[in-house]
Amino acid sequence: MDAGRAFLEARDFLIAHRDDYEAAYAGFRWPALDRFNWALDYFDVYARSNDRPALWVVDDEGGETKLSFAQLAERSNRIANYLRACGVRRGDRMLLMLPNMPPLWEIMLAAIKLGAVVSPASTLLSAADLLDRIERGEMRHVIADTPSSGRFAEVPGTYTRIVVGEDEIPGWLPFAAASEAPAAFEPDGPTGAGDPFLLYFTSGTTAKPKMVLHSHQSYPVGHLSTMYWVGLREGDVHLNISSPGWAKHAWSCFFAPWNAGATIFIHQLPRFDGQKTLAALVRHGVTTLCAPPTVWRMLILEDLKSYPVQLRELVSAGEPLNPEVIAQVREAWGLTVRDGYGQTETTCQIGNPPGEEVKVGGMGKPLPGYRIDLLDADGSAGDEGEISIRLDPRPLPLMEGYLDNPEASAKLLGGSHYRTSDVATRDAGGTFWYVGRADDVFKSSDYRISPFELESALIEHESVAEAAVVPSPDPIRLSVPKAYVVLKPGVKPSLAAAHALFRFSRQRLAPFARIRRIEFAELPKTISGKIRRVQLRAMEKERHALNVRGEHEYWEDDFIDLD
């Protein structure tokens, strides 16, 4: 059986059993693939003479772009030919830094066809972030939009620069020239299913972001599990509210909907606006919606009942969604928001599947293709423990490993289970319930935050001796980064000192990672001198419940002149 047919059979099985979880879970098997190129073997075949919309981008000023599957197949061919002429070769690593605009999808398809390795990057990254990615990721090419291109002036290197936009920029090749390239594309050879394709940088507990490597099968094919969880169907109009550069964007803004033959709908806004988003859902007939909990918590501030949506499926991922939010959405629309769980290193592993009764607040059940145990510190399985994926057989969506840390990869992938570092419980009915992280990494507004990175930035300030960052509860973002700071001798806690650190944080950190609260205090430590962050986290929860602040605690919102 050829690879394209094997992929379609696996996909069609899940679609056929969309509303029968037990049958889907028991009968699904990942396709055995040797050579596979998702763009050539699946997308282009599906796109032949297919004039249904594949990508639909609208803005709030009436602008609209609709591209069919057939159009995207041809446009990505031209772009692949152009990138090849610019020097992009199979295996080359390419940093892709674009907002939600059509070239993002066209370039991703073209890169798959070429066999290039794509490293998606958020447009919020600083020059320091980009330098780290270019150097450690050994990027040979960069594609960025005009507003983002200026940041690369501070990023030295011999990498190829391609700019997406109308302006001509010295030293940058114009992406617009791709439209003149040939419409027929011929690959330079076969693509191995295990060949590298995606390189994500994800925050961890170490000083530098981890480099997560995925293959031509782990994400393109692996997101069949995500397709199943969302409940996508051919012809759906699917909106996933996510920023480019993060793995969740590839989850539900690329592979899952196109695996099902759905239309990817994008609503361009300079910043999220609940009323405008709800109006767009109604106006454009969106049928399936995926959003992080931060967005759901903002949406329920609006009068949901006044928006006659045509939605069929609602899902949430990134962090646990509050039960009261689910209840309010259900009361307004008669639909239940279904939680799902996964990582950059995987696709959706656990979720509340379509057709199943949802236990509000629960993570759901293992999705087709995943066998999951809850392991304690000794490796014994039970109904409470670390979420751990069985590696016999190894599920196809699992990452190839951490590119910069073969030791960690061997430890994670070389045993009987892949441990996620997240802890959960399981009830008698098989539903998983999230407990928390096994380490100190936390989520804020759907972004994963590494305390160590923020602490390292703060210590660069001349007045800071030590710092510890923990999540501080927040009604909208779930949590925000709070820094406990020990000042150097001679520097006293004050409003001015806090003001200086907030300004410093804004200069050094991307907007999603900057410090939002600061408290000047001594740090609790173990006998060996390690900071007890667990104690700080517990204190934050207690203070939040009592609605009190520390003696020398300051919030970013206290200041109006930080910009």
Side-chain angles (χ1 to χ4, degrees):
M1 182 187 302
D2 66 70
R5 174 50 55 188
F7 169 77
L8 285 174
E9 286 194 0
R11 183 202 69 164
D12 292 347
F13 179 86
L14 289 180
I15 291 174
H17 296 86
R18 180 189 295 106
D19 297 321
D20 187 348
Y21 168 76
E22 297 299 334
Y25 187 76
F28 179 75
R29 298 293 182 270
W30 295 110
L33 302 172
D34 178 21
R35 296 177 176 180
F36 183 69
N37 187 298
W38 184 86
L40 296 171
D41 298 330
Y42 165 67
F43 188 89
D44 279 5
V45 175
Y46 184 79
R48 286 175 191 155
S49 302
N50 188 341
D51 293 327
R52 288 193 305 102
L55 180 64
W56 186 3
V57 181
V58 303
D59 61 38
D60 205 50
E61 298 177 353
E64 179 178 46
T65 300
K66 262 188 184 180
L67 296 172
S68 70
F69 284 95
Q71 286 175 310
L72 280 171
E74 179 184 324
R75 289 164 75 114
S76 61
N77 278 348
R78 294 183 187 274
I79 293 165
N81 285 323
Y82 176 69
L83 294 179
R84 181 185 280 166
C86 293
V88 179
R89 299 290 181 263
R90 183 177 297 275
D92 282 1
R93 295 177 193 165
M94 180 171 66
L95 188 82
L96 182 60
M97 188 175 180
L98 295 177
N100 275 325
M101 58 195 309
L104 176 65
W105 283 264
E106 297 166 349
I107 292 167
M108 281 282 286
L109 286 169
I112 298 174
K113 293 177 179 183
L114 283 170
V117 180
V118 180
S119 184
S122 167
T123 56
L124 297 176
L125 295 180
S126 67
D129 295 326
L130 295 171
L131 178 61
D132 175 62
R133 296 189 179 205
I134 294 243
E135 290 183 341
R136 285 200 299 132
E138 299 179 358
M139 304 296 168
R140 299 193 62 182
H141 315 279
V142 166
I143 302 179
D145 66 327
T146 300
S148 300
S149 64
R151 255 165 284 173
F152 289 90
E154 304 174 49
V155 184
T158 58
Y159 52 89
T160 307
R161 294 167 168 85
I162 301 173
V163 63
V164 178
E166 297 180 359
D167 298 334
E168 292 187 8
I169 300 177
W172 289 75
L173 300 173
F175 175 76
S179 63
E180 303 301 321
F185 174 79
E186 288 294 332
D188 62 4
T191 302
D195 287 352
F197 162 47
L198 280 169
L199 181 60
Y200 278 106
F201 284 67
T202 180
S203 296
T205 55
T206 58
K208 299 290 186 180
K210 295 177 290 185
M211 294 193 289
V212 178
L213 183 64
H214 277 282
S215 69
H216 280 267
Q217 63 181 358
S218 60
Y219 256 34
V221 184
H223 277 299
L224 288 175
S225 72
T226 309
M227 177 199 77
Y228 175 81
W229 161 63
V230 177
L232 287 159
R233 304 175 184 175
E234 188 174 60
D236 271 338
V237 177
H238 177 67
L239 170 59
N240 172 50
I241 299 175
S242 179
S243 300
W246 307 98
K248 188 61 177 66
H249 193 272
W251 277 41
S252 296
C253 282
F254 202 91
F255 293 114
W258 279 350
N259 278 346
T263 299
I264 296 170
F265 178 80
I266 298 295
H267 185 212
Q268 291 179 327
L269 288 173
R271 60 185 305 169
F272 179 79
D273 184 298
Q275 292 183 0
K276 291 179 179 179
T277 298
L278 289 165
L281 293 177
V282 175
R283 185 166 58 251
H284 300 290
V286 174
T287 58
T288 56
L289 172 62
C290 179
T294 300
V295 168
W296 285 113
R297 287 191 288 269
M298 295 175 74
L299 285 177
I300 63 170
L301 299 177
E302 309 298 335
D303 180 13
L304 296 184
K305 291 182 179 179
S306 67
Y307 293 92
V309 295
Q310 301 174 46
L311 293 162
R312 188 189 70 250
E313 307 289 352
L314 308 177
V315 292
S316 176
E319 59 199 23
L321 183 60
N322 315 82
E324 61 268 27
V325 176
I326 298 174
Q328 289 190 45
V329 175
R330 179 188 283 170
E331 180 182 358
W333 289 342
L335 298 169
T336 301
V337 184
R338 298 183 285 105
D339 249 330
Y341 165 83
Q343 300 175 301
T344 303
E345 292 88 341
T346 70
T347 60
C348 198
Q349 310 167 22
I350 298 171
N352 291 279
E356 286 275 296
E357 182 179 353
V358 175
K359 294 184 178 180
V360 175
M363 298 171 69
K365 298 179 179 180
L367 292 173
Y370 284 98
R371 302 293 186 266
I372 294 177
D373 294 317
L374 299 178
L375 302 183
D376 63 17
D378 297 324
S380 299
D383 289 328
E384 180 173 2
E386 187 175 356
I387 300 169
S388 304
I389 301 171
R390 293 183 200 171
L391 297 179
D392 185 18
R394 172 174 166 150
L396 182 145
L398 193 56
M399 67 172 179
E400 296 298 307
Y402 295 120
L403 191 66
D404 56 339
N405 196 334
E407 294 80 11
S409 301
K411 182 178 179 181
L412 275 172
L413 304 174
S416 63
H417 292 78
Y418 162 82
R419 288 176 172 258
T420 65
S421 296
D422 285 298
V423 177
T425 62
R426 180 176 51 217
D427 64 22
T431 296
F432 286 66
W433 300 81
Y434 189 76
V435 174
R437 288 289 296 172
D439 57 21
D440 294 319
V441 176
F442 61 95
K443 287 289 187 73
S444 177
S445 292
D446 200 44
Y447 294 113
R448 201 162 179 251
I449 306 294
S450 167
F452 189 92
E453 293 173 29
L454 276 59
E455 292 159 8
S456 298
L458 280 174
I459 291 174
E460 292 179 13
H461 193 275
E462 58 186 7
S463 67
V464 176
E466 284 187 292
V469 173
V470 296
S472 183
D474 182 85
I476 297 296
R477 300 183 179 94
L478 182 69
S479 64
V480 295
K482 176 180 176 179
Y484 283 85
V485 174
V486 177
L487 294 168
K488 290 181 178 179
V491 183
K492 297 193 178 296
S494 66
L495 188 69
H499 183 271
L501 288 181
F502 280 124
R503 287 183 63 88
F504 187 81
S505 167
R506 285 194 168 212
Q507 294 167 359
R508 292 293 193 278
L509 300 169
F512 63 85
R514 70 185 184 222
I515 305 299
R516 302 283 180 172
R517 297 168 189 172
I518 290 174
E519 182 171 349
F520 299 114
E522 292 300 315
L523 303 179
K525 296 183 179 180
T526 64
I527 295 176
S528 63
K530 294 182 179 179
I531 299 170
R532 286 182 46 84
R533 290 179 181 81
V534 63
Q535 184 173 330
L536 295 175
R537 291 197 300 268
M539 185 164 61
E540 282 302 300
K541 290 183 179 179
E542 182 179 354
R543 285 182 179 172
H544 177 70
L546 297 173
N547 195 28
V548 297
R549 295 195 194 184
E551 181 181 359
H552 299 293
E553 181 174 353
Y554 303 91
W555 290 16
E556 185 186 52
D557 295 340
D558 296 338
F559 303 92
I560 60 174
D561 61 340
L562 287 171
D563 292 320

